[in-house]
Amino acid sequence: MRSWITGSTIAVAMALGLAASPALSQGSGTFKYAEQVKLITMDPQKQSGSGVPFLRPAYESLFEKGPNGENLPLLATDYAVDGLDVTITLRQGVSFTNGEPFNADAAAKNINRGVEIGIVEGLKTVESASAADEYTLIIRLKEFDPAIISTLCYTGGMMIAPAAMADPALDRNPVGTGPYVHIKTESREGEVQVYTPNPTYWDKDKIGLARYEVWEIPDDTARLNALKTGQIDAGNWLSNPQAAIIDRTPDLKLIRNNGGLNYHVIISDREGTVVPAFADPLVRKAMALSIDREGFNKAIQFGLAAKSFQPYGKGDWAYDPALEGVYDYDLDKARDLMAQSKFPDGFSFDMPSIPVYQSRLEALAGFFKEIGITMNIAPQEPGTLARVSRTTAYPATNLVWNTITDPKFLALRYVYDDANYNPFKAKPSETLLALAEEGLTSVETEVRAPVYRKMAEQLAEEAFLIFVTNAPILIGTSEKTANNPTVVYRYGEDSVNLRGLKAND
Amino acid sequence: MLRLIVQRLLALIPLLFIVSVMTFSFTSLLPSDPVDLILGETGTQEQHEMLRERMGLNEPIVVRYVQWLGRAVQGDLGTSFFNSVSVSTALMQRLPVTLSLTLVSALIAVVVGVAAGIAAALRPRSLIDRLATVGATFGQAIPNFWFGLLLVAIFAVNLRWFPATGFSPLSASPVDWLRSVTLPAIALGLSSSAAIARQVRSAMVGVLQQDYIRAARAQGLSSRRVILKHALTNAMVPVVAVLSFQITVLLGGALIVEQVFAINGLGTLAIGAVRQQDIPMIQGLVLVMVGLVVVVQLATDVIYGLLNPKARPS
């Protein structure tokens, strides 16, 4: 009798367990991520900077990056590039959380809206998009764009429900196809955004959480304390003392993800219009050699960055290992080059600075002083450096470059005579121009990589871009998160891949 | 008293007008451009112009101000430059947070400050008096953000008694609210409690030497009654003035402490708005802060009048 009861109980329990399995596919537990920036907008096509972790739960892009930066299908299943026409096959059986079907018409509306708004830089080569049939999207380009599929891996390829585009408050009411749905009633503006599983998600098995939260904690110390006390499971950091503390704390872990920011000096006046010495390549090379990047990294970036001599970091497809150490700190050689130049007695120039770069520039000024160059630091209002760098107000400037940005943008930013950050309209060398053009002839990274490596070598030779350090994307996690096998960081992003993510407990 | 309140509230109108003109003018003079922040580093000149036009930034400053004022008098403080969040909504969401923090800090400051001040005044030059004086100096000297970090390290990170960051609304859970507000309120209230302690001690020492206190004692009144009813009431008159000033200081200090504890109050909103040059949000914030300060001063005058009938307006 007892065994019958026991057996019956087990059978009932198993039956209940099986009956409960659909609920389990909706996920369990909570994962809390902290962002270092405040939420500006949840409209992907109006998003111009950080804050992608707020978008990823609700929005999916047509493609996504694989672990090595390759383009993988997501809402799209295939693509073909034929000159200026990009044909994209879309996934079937997907719907937006407001019930609208995801099809080529919806995708075309998204691409056209992105083009019209004009904030997503990668969509600037797009003429228009249209639906060839229900699940075939055609994107017509203005010019051949090898980076178009890469653009569609990020905000440029995120799909908004067409009806939601008319909502003036779309930036706080995201409607996409993502695995999670934004819950406005449980979110607190400026503090936390809450997401729960999307009941109509096309790939339910990938929903592993009952709740996902993105916290806005801009203060680095407060974010660190939240991580230490378990209030958050992970969060992102820049190379600052708090990140260094995480790196040294036994029960925390600092993840170095692909991508990140390359800090560099730009000699804008490379034809010597205002500062004649800048026209001399020997001077520019001497400046590059005078920088003790190792010391700079330790003192300014707490040892969390890496020396840099090119726009890409190790692991990026365009990275050129041959350039490693090309301008390693060599003060004697730098002084020799200055002595050989037309400016052996040195010269002075002005460099714009915003508070966050002040210590970096003070260090660089010290290095340049050693070879007789006086760099006067000119403070600017925060938020104005990019604008002032596009003018002829200063002969040189300093900026950061996101290392996952497609190399074609390097030419658009610095090389062409009408490049954004070539205010003196300096003519590029024929070699550089030819390489920039050659890089645009294919979408395949295997074909483009050798071209951009040569371009990086040429940039090193001309030395008007002086790369200093490469700081990877830094994500601080608790020990439990570090040991959670479902936590996968998106390539080149400061966000976790939510598809398949499960809670630590 | 009612007349005083009405007069003060009426005086608020020209004050808010002047403050709004000044804020609008100064923020418009800043060299940074919100359009740069919205478009990022890649925006073209054409896009800049289009967006400036759409945001009304190409209009002369006077026209922009008049347009803003026209909406503001109808209760519409506008919308953030950067998202669809209305300024009024943002302010109403953050106001209870900052008020919670400020009021609990003020309460801590008053309780600790008055108690320490009385203890010191009752035994001048004793060990208690010296400890209170040293404590007050210490409290005024150390920055509240540093003290806040210290509290977090001890009571949140090591002992796990309180959360390290965040704010829990009172309506959601009174216990969680109290836990979330305790450490930041202590950090914020420390220097004010020191200032109040000094003031109470000084006032009480003077009052306790008055003839009417000796007379009260001679009548056989209990020491507690003499101190709390007769001495403290009179000593509180200058203390109220200090408290009024301290509440204004606390409102300002909350801007920093909110950052340390990642509390989403007016301070956090203000720092973000200033960084982004979000003019509508800055305008709204300044008006709310000025309004709060005026209300605090009005309350001070009312309390002052209640404590000291001679100070009541005729």
Side-chain angles (χ1 to χ4, degrees):
Chain A
M1 187 64 166
R2 178 178 289 178
S3 63
W4 181 85
I5 292 171
T6 308
S8 303
T9 308
I10 292 169
V12 168
M14 285 177 70
L16 285 172
L18 287 173
S21 61
L24 285 174
S25 73
Q26 287 298 297
S28 61
T30 301
F31 194 91
K32 297 179 183 182
Y33 190 83
E35 254 288 338
Q36 59 180 332
V37 295
K38 300 297 283 182
L39 168 63
I40 303 293
T41 179
M42 293 168 100
D43 181 340
Q45 290 158 358
K46 291 186 176 173
Q47 221 265 355
S48 64
S50 305
V52 172
F54 294 109
L55 305 175
R56 284 291 185 192
Y59 289 115
E60 285 179 313
S61 41
L62 293 175
F63 298 89
E64 65 179 344
K65 289 287 180 187
N68 299 310
E70 67 277 28
N71 300 324
L72 298 178
L74 188 58
L75 286 179
T77 55
D78 200 6
Y79 72 91
V81 180
D82 180 13
L84 297 181
D85 285 328
V86 182
T87 305
I88 294 171
T89 310
L90 302 178
R91 188 176 297 281
Q92 299 184 23
V94 178
S95 62
F96 292 100
T97 51
N98 65 353
E100 285 184 85
F102 169 68
N103 52 31
D105 194 42
K109 280 180 179 152
N110 270 276
I111 301 295
N112 289 330
R113 180 176 182 266
V115 172
E116 189 188 337
I117 291 171
I119 288 179
V120 177
E121 188 179 22
L123 292 178
K124 287 183 180 171
T125 54
V126 175
E127 178 74 48
S128 64
S130 58
D133 61 45
E134 194 172 1
Y135 293 106
T136 306
L137 171 73
I138 307 282
I139 297 177
R140 178 80 180 168
L141 303 172
K142 293 178 200 163
E143 59 194 65
F144 186 77
D145 182 1
I148 185 66
I149 301 301
S150 192
T151 293
L152 300 176
C153 292
Y154 300 105
T155 51
M158 285 185 181
M159 295 290 117
I160 306 167
M165 291 176 189
D167 180 1
L170 177 64
D171 62 353
R172 287 296 182 278
N173 299 315
V175 185
T177 64
Y180 295 91
V181 184
H182 180 247
I183 306 297
K184 194 169 185 176
T185 49
E186 293 185 32
S187 301
R188 292 196 293 275
E189 177 67 29
E191 190 176 0
V192 61
Q193 303 301 322
V194 176
Y195 307 82
T196 57
N198 173 1
T200 62
Y201 190 56
W202 56 274
D203 194 3
K204 281 194 166 57
D205 290 346
K206 294 288 183 187
I207 294 179
L209 300 168
R211 187 180 172 96
Y212 182 68
E213 296 176 359
V214 185
W215 288 77
E216 299 173 41
I217 311 181
D219 187 86
D220 292 309
T221 305
R223 205 161 58 258
L224 171 63
N225 287 332
L227 184 65
K228 280 180 176 173
T229 56
Q231 283 181 268
I232 57 167
D233 298 305
N236 52 31
W237 269 264
L238 293 177
S239 46
N240 54 34
Q242 289 79 7
I245 291 170
I246 294 171
D247 209 22
R248 290 198 303 265
T249 304
D251 52 353
L252 301 178
K253 191 165 173 66
L254 190 70
I255 309 289
R256 290 159 170 85
N257 199 20
N258 304 77
L261 299 175
N262 182 298
Y263 179 68
H264 55 285
V265 169
I266 303 136
I267 308 295
S268 313
D269 183 21
R270 57 188 196 255
E271 288 178 345
T273 312
V274 178
V275 180
F278 281 159
D280 189 340
L282 293 176
V283 169
R284 303 196 301 250
K285 285 180 181 174
M287 289 170 74
L289 283 165
S290 72
I291 299 169
D292 177 2
R293 290 168 177 78
E294 201 66 57
F296 181 96
N297 176 33
K298 279 184 187 159
I300 311 291
Q301 295 182 285
F302 308 95
L304 298 168
K307 295 188 289 184
S308 172
F309 308 98
Q310 57 185 308
Y312 303 100
K314 284 177 187 163
D316 293 314
W317 61 266
Y319 174 75
D320 185 358
L323 283 174
E324 206 49 46
V326 67
Y327 285 120
D328 253 339
Y329 179 52
D330 190 336
L331 202 50
D332 293 336
K333 198 172 167 186
R335 284 176 176 149
D336 281 349
L337 288 177
M338 280 300 285
Q340 290 168 37
S341 77
K342 294 171 195 158
F343 304 89
D345 299 328
F347 61 95
S348 68
F349 70 99
D350 295 339
M351 172 68 89
S353 167
I354 49 174
V356 71
Y357 292 161
Q358 185 68 19
S359 58
R360 298 179 184 206
L361 290 173
E362 283 168 4
L364 290 179
F367 295 138
F368 296 153
K369 192 82 189 162
E370 293 292 319
I371 56 170
I373 299 173
T374 303
M375 184 172 85
N376 305 310
I377 300 171
Q380 306 292 309
E381 281 292 318
T384 62
L385 183 62
R387 179 152 51 95
V388 86
S389 300
R390 289 195 292 261
T391 71
T392 53
Y394 293 95
T397 188
N398 61 127
L399 292 170
V400 288
W401 157 267
N402 191 330
T403 58
I404 60 149
T405 313
D406 190 273
K408 77 161 194 169
F409 292 106
L410 199 63
L412 288 167
R413 243 186 158 194
Y414 302 122
V415 174
Y416 298 135
D417 53 6
D418 61 347
N420 275 354
Y421 295 96
N422 183 10
F424 290 88
K425 309 290 178 199
K427 287 255 177 286
S429 69
E430 284 181 14
T431 313
L432 206 51
L433 193 58
L435 288 165
E437 298 298 331
E438 195 183 341
L440 300 177
T441 55
S442 171
V443 292
E444 304 303 330
T445 52
E446 299 81 32
V447 178
R448 301 174 71 208
V451 178
Y452 285 118
R453 283 176 193 151
K454 280 186 198 163
M455 189 168 141
E457 285 164 19
Q458 186 62 27
L459 283 171
E461 179 58 30
E462 297 185 19
F464 64 85
L465 295 179
I466 300 172
F467 299 99
V468 182
T469 52
N470 231 352
I473 290 172
L474 299 172
I475 300 172
T477 75
S478 64
E479 196 169 24
K480 281 181 180 174
T481 304
N483 294 329
N484 181 341
T486 67
V487 177
V488 177
Y489 303 99
R490 285 186 175 275
Y491 178 88
E493 283 185 30
D494 54 0
S495 64
V496 180
N497 193 333
L498 294 168
R499 284 168 48 77
L501 174 67
K502 291 181 179 170
N504 290 336
D505 299 321
Chain B
M1 192 63 76
L2 185 65
R3 198 170 153 192
L4 171 78
I5 294 170
V6 173
Q7 276 176 351
R8 284 301 179 88
L9 290 176
L10 286 174
L12 190 59
I13 296 168
L15 179 66
L16 288 178
F17 174 73
I18 293 166
V19 167
S20 72
V21 170
M22 289 173 69
T23 315
F24 209 91
S25 311
F26 292 156
T27 47
S28 300
L29 287 173
L30 289 173
S32 55
D33 188 344
V35 173
D36 276 347
L37 292 165
I38 294 170
L39 288 177
E41 293 180 1
T42 60
T44 62
Q45 194 60 34
E46 186 189 1
Q47 285 174 330
H48 272 75
E49 286 309 313
M50 276 172 59
L51 193 54
R52 288 185 68 79
E53 186 71 36
R54 205 183 311 156
M55 291 166 72
L57 293 173
N58 285 337
E59 299 284 351
I61 183 171
V62 178
V63 174
R64 279 159 47 204
Y65 176 73
V66 170
Q67 286 173 346
W68 175 85
L69 189 64
R71 290 192 300 269
V73 293
Q74 296 172 57
D76 176 10
L77 292 173
T79 305
S80 163
F81 273 165
F82 292 86
N83 49 48
S84 65
V85 176
S86 89
V87 173
S88 309
T89 306
L91 293 173
M92 290 316 292
Q93 284 173 339
R94 315 295 180 99
L95 190 58
V97 178
T98 300
L99 281 182
S100 275
L101 182 55
T102 307
L103 292 177
V104 176
S105 305
L107 186 66
I108 290 171
V110 169
V111 171
V112 174
V114 170
I118 292 173
L122 290 178
R123 293 175 189 81
R125 295 179 190 168
S126 66
L127 181 64
I128 291 174
D129 183 21
R130 287 179 204 282
L131 282 176
T133 306
V134 170
T137 306
F138 178 73
Q140 284 191 300
I142 61 170
N144 52 22
F145 69 87
W146 179 83
F147 189 53
L149 288 172
L150 198 68
L151 292 175
V152 170
I154 296 168
F155 296 104
V157 175
N158 287 325
L159 297 173
R160 306 283 170 110
W161 290 355
F162 298 96
T165 60
F167 176 84
S168 199
L170 180 62
S171 55
S173 162
V175 174
D176 286 348
W177 169 80
L178 192 60
R179 289 185 72 233
S180 70
V181 86
T182 300
L183 294 185
I186 292 172
L188 190 56
L190 179 75
S191 65
S192 292
S193 68
I196 291 169
R198 279 176 178 276
Q199 188 63 43
V200 169
R201 182 202 175 276
S202 168
M204 282 287 281
V205 165
V207 168
L208 287 172
Q209 289 169 354
Q210 297 288 318
D211 289 343
Y212 72 90
I213 296 293
R214 273 199 291 272
R217 283 192 168 133
Q219 284 174 350
L221 295 178
S222 70
S223 184
R224 177 189 282 185
R225 192 177 165 100
V226 170
I227 291 163
L228 295 181
K229 187 171 180 195
H230 296 282
L232 188 60
T233 308
N234 285 294
M236 281 305 282
V237 174
V239 173
V240 169
V242 172
L243 183 61
S244 159
F245 174 70
Q246 287 302 321
I247 288 178
T248 313
V249 171
L250 290 174
L251 278 170
L255 305 192
I256 305 298
V257 171
E258 283 178 11
Q259 291 291 303
V260 173
F261 288 89
I263 289 175
N264 194 32
L266 291 175
T268 314
L269 187 66
I271 288 171
V274 170
R275 275 189 184 154
Q276 294 176 325
Q277 213 186 318
D278 192 348
I279 295 171
M281 200 62 83
I282 295 172
Q283 284 284 102
L285 276 160
V286 172
L287 293 184
V288 165
M289 293 303 262
V290 169
L292 282 176
V293 170
V294 170
V295 168
V296 167
Q297 287 180 343
L298 178 60
T300 308
D301 286 346
V302 171
I303 295 170
Y304 207 77
L306 292 174
L307 288 172
N308 183 6
K310 286 180 188 171
R312 287 177 199 167
S314 58

